[in-house]
């Protein structure tokens, strides 16, 4: 476990990994938590002193959640390695960066294409079997086949998540956001998580759940990028000397950002939207060079998908392999609008924002309830998955029976009723020449249902009553489904409910507006996305790339702005709420208003644990054994300096490497030259998916305990520091924007010790601050 809380240099939060809504989920945000030297339960009456940051959520199994070292650790070993690099090595480094971006695009594009083809064929054969039985009037057998296949697929997806990779359950976008923010939750990017994410998503979507594969695709892209960024494996002798450049959190973060953007591009065939999604929603840190590589990665994804779709047009992708990735065409509609239409769009956006905020509220409650069930074990997880699968099957098969059969339109350009395929005119139980409009939405894949709702120039295709029933069913099924132990994205359920709501509004407004009902469906989906996700620019571009019509830009922008503004007055976005439920210590982009009333000194506490520049081995071992701190200030003292001065900061992982190498001396003297010849920067590279050196791996003899080790070569001589009187709000913004793990607090007076404490992620968490100062009132206003 890693820990680096506040002045102790301890930053890891032992918070339960609720990231997958697996058995370790408890569904309660840690308003109560205990620390090794203190326990506090809200509210506290006085400021309390804490010395560690081990946080335990009541009733949960614990796993360590560490912060990531995004800061460049400029010690003497790093500087020597950098100075020794030749031009060819720098060229290799840059070439590999672009090469990895290419591989991430290829891998994510192929994963997205294969996932889509698999869903099309598995779900297609299920629906074909059901349709054939319905044609023969064997209705009960049709239901048994439909529900049985759904339950079997759902149970398989639940078993994969329950037994192999619990971290693969859920969307995955909150975990990727947290990682790019600096939080390394347990197993979120492991190979097993990647495998279960892909297979479980295929099974879950094919099982007819009201879920999408878009969120899981973001997680899949991040996992692929993480595997490529491991820098090889020493355990399996796969380490290549060139790959050593990527054995650090900073380069891995850039690659995972490319992977997240590639996931969106693969899900929606929206390369520009993928880049903007990574910039607006996923990444907490950005720079221009990363923009270029991310754009290149998403362009590769777009090319891979285009090649795959052309390949499928030749009939090589199975019976249902030509469904393609979700691509909606409302471009054939002439977009002209008047003042009355603008008023209708504003109303559509406002109601969509309200419905989206209610959706988020109910999702929050359902996740908390499910987590109580999930924490009881894998059996309960799978049972819950099967129960929701049965509920979904009953709704999808049973509700169309309440719809009236409609006569096929005389001017239809497609076959009616649709014969053995997905389409707008499902026969279901209707006689020849009639179709069941509700079955056209339920007895199909989610992607095809959205295509049907978005279809232009079909105003009377769906009855108002059918749209009401479908909207209500999808709205609540989407809420009930999210939180079970399967990979489940939120984009498609939200788009599906929003499209039904928008088409319903189009039918209700058809007497006062000239906008097409298919366009209303698109705007309704946009309003729901804005009300739940709270994104604007990236969603706008994604929707435009899906529809391929720039004439929709003003209306989509307007509805997104209105829905987001309305929803923000009620609660946060759905991903922010999930981050909170999971207990992931996410740092917001803005500082909370109450932080302006505090200074950096107010949230640090003691005692402070420091090392001398040349420290006794026994003292280092004692500090490592008795604390979970990750960073320790190093102070030079007389006789080496005239007065105590801050030399820098040393990491626990670097200390373990140094102690394992036994670079000791019997006298308290500088030995940095000898040390630089015996060790290299590669020795201090971060381990990949394997584990690094642990304290138990050290074999320090008794006579070596009284020896000394020179910490200067591994000490970061340029740590970020702030004066103790700096506003906590200002310190929080600096901490997040610079991607720090430690921030040293130095005294205002030179007569005091050179360091007052260390600010870490934990110190900026509201729970910590409110625990110290319970009288502070949080405000809703943010910058």
């Amino acid at each position: 476990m890693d820990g680096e809380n506040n002045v102790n240099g301890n930053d890891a939060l032992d918070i339960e990994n609720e990231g997958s809504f697996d058995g370790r989920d408890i569904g309660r945000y840690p308003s109560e938590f205990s620390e090794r030297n203190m326990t506090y339960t809200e509210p506290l009456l006085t400021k309390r002193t804490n010395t560690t940051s081990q946080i335990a959520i009541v009733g949960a199994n614990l796993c360590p959640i560490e912060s990531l070292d995004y800061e460049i650790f400029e010690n003497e070993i790093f500087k020597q390695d950098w100075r020794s690099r030749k031009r060819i090595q720098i060229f290799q480094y840059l070439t590999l960066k672009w090469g990895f971006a290419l591989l991430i695009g290829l891998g994510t594009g192929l994963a997205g294409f294969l996932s889509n083809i698999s869903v099309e064929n598995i779900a297609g054969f299920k629906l074909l079997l059901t349709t054939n039985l319905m044609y023969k009037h064997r209705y009960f057998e049709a239901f048994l086949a439909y529900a049985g296949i759904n339950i079997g697929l759902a149970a398989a997806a639940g078993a994969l998540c329950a037994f192999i990779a619990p971290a693969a359950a859920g969307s995955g976008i909150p975990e990727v956001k947290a990682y790019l923010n600096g939080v390394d939750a347990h197993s979120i990017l492991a190979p097993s998580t990647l495998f279960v994410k892909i297979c479980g998503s295929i099974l879950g979507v094919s099982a007819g759940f009201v879920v999408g594969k878009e969120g899981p695709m973001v997680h899949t892209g991040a996992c692929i990028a993480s595997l490529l960024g491991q820098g090889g494996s020493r355990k399996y002798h796969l380490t290549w000397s060139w790959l050593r450049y990527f054995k650090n959190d900073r380069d891995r973060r850039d690659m995972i950002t490319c992977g997240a953007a590639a996931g969106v591009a693969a899900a929606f065939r929206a390369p520009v939207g993928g880049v903007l999604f990574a910039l607006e929603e996923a990444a907490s840190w950005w720079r221009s060079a990363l923009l270029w590589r991310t754009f290149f990665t998403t362009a590769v994804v777009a090319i891979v998908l285009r090649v795959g779709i052309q390949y499928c047009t030749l009939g090589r992708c199975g019976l249902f392999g030509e469904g393609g990735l979700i691509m909606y065409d409302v471009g054939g509609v002439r977009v002209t609008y008047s003042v009355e239409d603008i008023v209708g769009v504003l109303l559509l956006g406002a109601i969509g924002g309200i419905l989206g905020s209610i959706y988020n509220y109910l999702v929050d409650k359902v996740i908390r309830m499910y987590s109580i069930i999930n924490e009881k074990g894998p059996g309960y997880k799978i049972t819950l998955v099967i129960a929701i699968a049965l509920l979904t099957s009953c709704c999808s098969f049973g509700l169309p029976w309440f719809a009236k059969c409609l006569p096929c339109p005389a001017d239809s350009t497609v076959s009616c009723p649709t014969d053995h395929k997905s389409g707008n005119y499902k026969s279901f139980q209707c006689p020849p020449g009639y179709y069941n409009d509700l079955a056209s939405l339920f007895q199909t894949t989610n992607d095809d249902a959205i295509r049907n709702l978005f279809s232009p120039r079909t105003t009377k295709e769906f009855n108002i009553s059918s749209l009401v029933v479908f909207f209500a069913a999808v709205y609540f099924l989407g809420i009930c489904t999210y939180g079970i132990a399967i990979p489940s994205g939120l984009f498609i359920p939200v788009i599906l409910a929003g499209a039904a709501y928008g088409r319903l509004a189009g039918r209700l407004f058809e007497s006062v507006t000239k906008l097409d009902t298919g366009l209303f469906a698109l705007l309704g989906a946009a309003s729901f996305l804005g009300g739940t996700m709270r994104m604007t620019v990236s969603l706008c571009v994604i929707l435009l790339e899906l529809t391929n019509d720039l004439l929709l830009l003003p209306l989509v922008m307007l509805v997104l702005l209105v829905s987001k503004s309305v929803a923000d007055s009620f609660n946060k976005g759905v991903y922010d709420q999930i981050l909170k439920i999971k207990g992931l210590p996410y740092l917001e982009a803005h500082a909370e208003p109450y932080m302006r009333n505090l200074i950096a000194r107010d949230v640090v506490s003691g005692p402070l644990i420091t090392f001398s520049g040349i420290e006794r081995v026994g003292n280092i071992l004692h500090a490592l054994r008795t604390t979970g701190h990750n960073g320790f200030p190093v102070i030079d003292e007389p006789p080496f300096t005239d007065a105590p001065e801050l030399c820098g900061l040393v990491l626990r992982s670097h200390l373990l490497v140094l102690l394992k190498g036994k670079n000791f001396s019997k006298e308290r003297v500088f030995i940095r030259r000898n040390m630089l010849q015996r060790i290299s920067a590669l020795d201090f590279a971060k381990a990949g998916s394997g584990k690094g050196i642990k304290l138990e791996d050290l074999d320090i003899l008794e006579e070596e305990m009284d020896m000394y080790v020179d910490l200067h070569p591994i000490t970061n001589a340029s740590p970020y520091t702030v004066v103790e009187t700096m506003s906590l709000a200002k310190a929080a913004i600096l901490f997040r924007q610079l991607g720090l793990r430690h921030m040293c607090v130095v005294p205002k007076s030179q007569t005091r010790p050179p360091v007052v404490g260390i600010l870490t992620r934990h110190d900026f968490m509201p729970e910590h601050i409110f625990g110290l100062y319970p009288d502070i009132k949080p405000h809703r206003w943010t910058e």
Side-chain angles (χ1 to χ4, degrees):
M1 185 200 91
D2 159 46
E4 51 172 85
N5 175 34
N6 52 63
V7 298
N8 298 311
N10 184 4
D11 84 330
L13 302 176
D14 271 5
I15 303 178
E16 176 209 359
N17 181 13
E18 301 181 71
S20 331
F21 307 119
D22 54 33
R24 292 170 291 194
D25 302 337
I26 61 138
R28 295 183 292 276
Y29 190 70
S31 59
E32 297 183 345
F33 55 93
S34 61
E35 304 194 15
R36 282 190 284 260
N37 291 341
M38 64 163 289
T39 301
Y40 59 88
T41 303
E42 296 180 353
L44 296 180
L45 299 179
T46 58
K47 177 178 177 179
R48 302 294 296 270
T49 302
N50 62 322
T51 59
T52 68
S53 67
Q54 184 177 8
I55 296 178
I57 303 178
V58 179
N61 296 325
L62 301 180
C63 75
I65 292 184
E66 301 184 1
S67 291
L68 296 163
D69 293 300
Y70 288 152
E71 177 187 358
I72 296 178
F73 213 74
E74 295 182 346
N75 53 35
E76 292 186 18
I77 294 176
F78 169 83
K79 293 177 181 178
Q80 182 188 46
D81 179 70
W82 183 257
R83 288 191 297 264
S84 63
R85 290 187 184 181
K86 301 177 181 178
R87 288 187 177 182
I88 184 62
Q89 293 175 318
I90 296 176
F91 176 77
Q92 291 169 356
Y93 173 67
L94 295 176
T95 303
L96 280 175
K97 274 192 172 184
W98 287 95
F100 280 143
L102 173 65
L103 292 177
I104 293 169
L106 290 173
T108 308
L110 288 173
F113 175 73
L114 294 176
S115 296
N116 181 76
I117 296 304
S118 300
V119 169
E120 288 281 336
N121 281 279
I122 296 173
F125 281 113
K126 174 191 69 177
L127 295 171
L128 179 61
L129 175 61
T130 305
T131 302
N132 289 334
L133 291 173
M134 292 293 292
Y135 280 152
K136 298 176 183 178
H137 305 290
R138 298 161 63 180
Y139 302 130
F140 185 69
E141 293 181 24
F143 171 73
L144 290 180
Y146 181 76
I149 294 175
N150 283 345
I151 291 174
L153 294 172
L160 286 175
C161 288
F163 293 108
I164 299 179
S171 168
I173 291 179
E175 288 88 344
V176 174
K177 276 189 66 173
Y179 186 94
L180 296 178
N181 189 258
V183 181
D184 189 13
H186 181 64
S187 298
I188 61 172
L189 300 175
S192 59
T193 303
L194 173 62
F195 169 76
V196 174
K197 203 73 180 185
I198 296 175
C199 297
S201 177
I202 293 172
L203 295 171
V205 175
S206 301
F209 283 117
V210 184
V211 298
K213 52 186 180 294
E214 289 65 37
M217 276 307 306
V218 174
H219 198 173
T220 297
C223 288
I224 292 174
S226 177
L227 290 178
L228 291 174
Q230 296 293 336
S233 171
R234 294 183 185 179
K235 180 179 179 181
Y236 298 105
H237 306 288
L238 298 176
T239 299
W240 189 24
S241 60
W242 287 12
L243 298 180
R244 67 190 179 97
Y245 303 133
F246 297 92
K247 288 182 173 290
N248 61 84
D249 289 329
R250 189 182 181 92
D251 283 315
R252 290 182 192 175
R253 173 186 61 182
D254 290 352
M255 295 178 65
I256 290 170
T257 302
C258 293
V264 174
F268 294 107
R269 284 177 62 191
V272 179
V275 175
L276 293 177
F277 173 85
L279 173 60
E280 181 180 6
E281 181 68 11
S284 297
W285 190 85
W286 199 265
R287 69 180 190 275
S288 58
L290 180 59
L291 176 65
W292 279 99
R293 283 200 302 277
T294 306
F295 187 75
F296 171 70
T297 304
T298 57
V300 172
V301 172
I303 294 173
V304 171
L305 295 180
R306 174 54 60 186
V307 171
I309 291 173
Q310 290 180 347
Y311 177 82
C312 285
T313 57
L314 302 177
R316 301 174 179 174
C317 297
L319 180 61
F320 297 91
E322 297 182 17
L325 294 116
I326 54 175
M327 189 70 177
Y328 315 116
D329 183 14
V330 295
V333 179
R334 184 179 179 184
V335 182
T336 58
Y337 40 88
S338 60
V339 176
E340 293 83 0
D341 299 328
I342 297 296
V343 173
V345 170
L346 291 174
L347 182 61
L348 186 77
I351 297 176
I354 295 173
L355 292 173
S357 63
I358 296 174
Y359 192 94
N360 290 359
Y361 174 81
L362 294 176
V363 165
D364 181 274
K365 298 302 179 184
V366 167
I367 290 174
R368 294 176 187 273
M369 179 180 66
Y370 284 173
S371 62
I372 298 174
I373 301 174
N374 287 337
E375 70 175 346
K376 295 182 180 180
Y380 287 87
K381 292 183 185 180
I382 299 174
T383 302
L384 180 59
V385 170
I386 293 175
I388 300 300
L390 181 59
L391 173 64
T392 304
S393 299
C394 290
C395 291
S396 299
F397 192 88
L399 290 177
W401 287 91
F402 295 96
K404 297 172 63 175
C405 292
L406 302 176
C408 291
D411 58 347
S412 176
T413 58
V414 296
S415 61
C416 179
T418 304
D419 185 24
H420 298 296
K421 296 180 182 179
S422 297
N424 291 20
Y425 304 105
K426 281 277 188 176
S427 175
F428 203 60
Q429 89 291 6
C430 295
Y434 289 80
Y435 73 98
N436 188 316
D437 59 342
L438 202 50
S440 301
L441 298 176
F442 276 119
Q443 290 294 304
T444 185
T445 63
N446 293 332
D447 291 355
D448 282 330
I450 296 174
R451 270 188 282 266
N452 294 344
L453 289 169
F454 278 12
S455 58
R457 297 182 298 276
T458 53
T459 305
K460 307 290 186 179
E461 178 182 354
F462 300 102
N463 275 335
I464 292 179
S465 59
S466 297
L467 290 173
V468 171
V469 172
F470 182 75
F471 167 72
V474 169
Y475 189 88
F476 288 103
L477 283 176
I479 293 170
C480 294
T481 304
Y482 197 81
I484 62 177
I486 63 168
S488 52
L490 276 172
F491 271 96
I492 288 301
V494 171
I495 292 177
L496 196 58
Y501 152 72
R503 189 154 191 123
L504 175 61
R507 289 296 307 273
L508 296 176
F509 294 161
E510 61 185 348
S511 60
V512 296
T513 180
K514 296 181 180 179
L515 294 178
D516 187 83
T517 53
L519 177 56
F520 260 105
L522 173 67
L523 296 177
S527 71
F528 255 54
L529 287 169
T532 55
M533 310 296 180
R534 310 296 163 81
M535 294 179 283
T536 53
V537 178
S538 56
L539 284 179
C540 183
V541 173
I542 288 172
L543 290 173
L544 291 179
E545 288 186 282
L546 288 177
T547 57
N548 196 28
D549 193 344
L550 284 176
L551 295 176
L552 302 176
L553 178 61
L555 294 180
V556 174
M557 291 176 63
L558 186 62
V559 77
L560 282 171
L561 289 172
V562 172
S563 61
K564 181 184 185 303
S565 300
V566 171
D568 279 340
S569 62
F570 294 100
N571 51 31
K572 291 186 175 182
V574 64
Y575 294 132
D576 293 326
Q577 289 189 171
I578 294 173
L579 281 169
K580 183 178 180 181
I581 295 172
K582 294 174 184 234
L584 297 173
Y586 185 83
L587 288 175
E588 299 289 348
H590 60 270
E592 298 295 339
Y594 57 80
M595 291 184 177
R596 301 186 186 280
N597 300 323
L598 299 171
I599 59 176
R601 181 179 56 204
D602 291 335
V603 296
V604 298
S605 51
L608 177 64
I609 298 176
T610 64
F611 292 137
S612 298
I614 301 177
E615 186 59 81
R616 184 172 164 268
V617 174
N619 292 341
I620 298 176
L621 276 176
H622 177 74
L624 296 179
R625 287 170 178 168
T626 56
T627 69
H629 310 343
N630 179 75
F632 300 87
V634 176
I635 298 177
D636 279 333
E637 299 174 335
F640 300 103
T641 57
D642 296 333
E645 62 181 34
L646 177 63
C647 176
L649 195 75
V650 64
L651 296 181
R652 166 183 284 263
S653 58
H654 291 183
L655 287 171
L656 291 173
V657 173
L658 195 62
L659 292 177
K660 189 173 181 62
K662 295 191 176 184
N663 295 283
F664 308 148
S665 64
K666 295 183 178 180
E667 303 295 332
R668 195 179 183 189
V669 295
F670 293 102
I671 58 170
R672 61 181 69 180
R673 283 190 175 181
N674 295 334
M675 187 184 301
L676 292 176
Q677 295 174 357
R678 296 175 58 183
I679 59 179
S680 67
L682 185 60
D683 297 325
F684 296 89
K686 184 170 182 176
S689 56
K691 298 179 180 179
I693 299 176
K694 293 184 176 181
L695 191 61
E696 296 77 16
D697 299 331
L698 300 182
D699 183 22
I700 305 298
L701 303 177
E702 187 65 30
E703 58 270 19
E704 294 174 331
M705 298 290 284
D706 292 325
M707 299 181 71
Y708 294 91
V709 59
D710 187 0
L711 301 182
H712 291 93
I714 64 170
T715 298
N716 181 11
S718 56
Y720 287 94
T721 62
V722 296
V723 69
E724 61 182 342
T725 55
M726 175 181 282
S727 164
L728 187 62
K730 190 175 182 180
I733 293 174
L734 286 174
F735 192 92
R736 186 184 190 274
Q737 290 182 346
L738 295 173
L740 302 183
R741 187 173 187 175
H742 310 86
M743 179 182 282
C744 295
V745 181
V746 297
K748 193 172 184 180
S749 172
Q750 296 182 354
T751 60
R752 297 167 56 194
V755 59
V756 174
I758 294 179
L759 287 174
T760 62
R761 179 176 299 270
H762 167 65
D763 297 300
F764 299 105
M765 293 294 107
E767 293 71 35
H768 172 67
I769 297 174
F770 294 152
L772 297 177
Y773 301 98
D775 295 332
I776 293 180
K777 302 297 182 183
H779 301 285
R780 295 183 61 85
W781 176 85
T782 57
E783 293 183 1

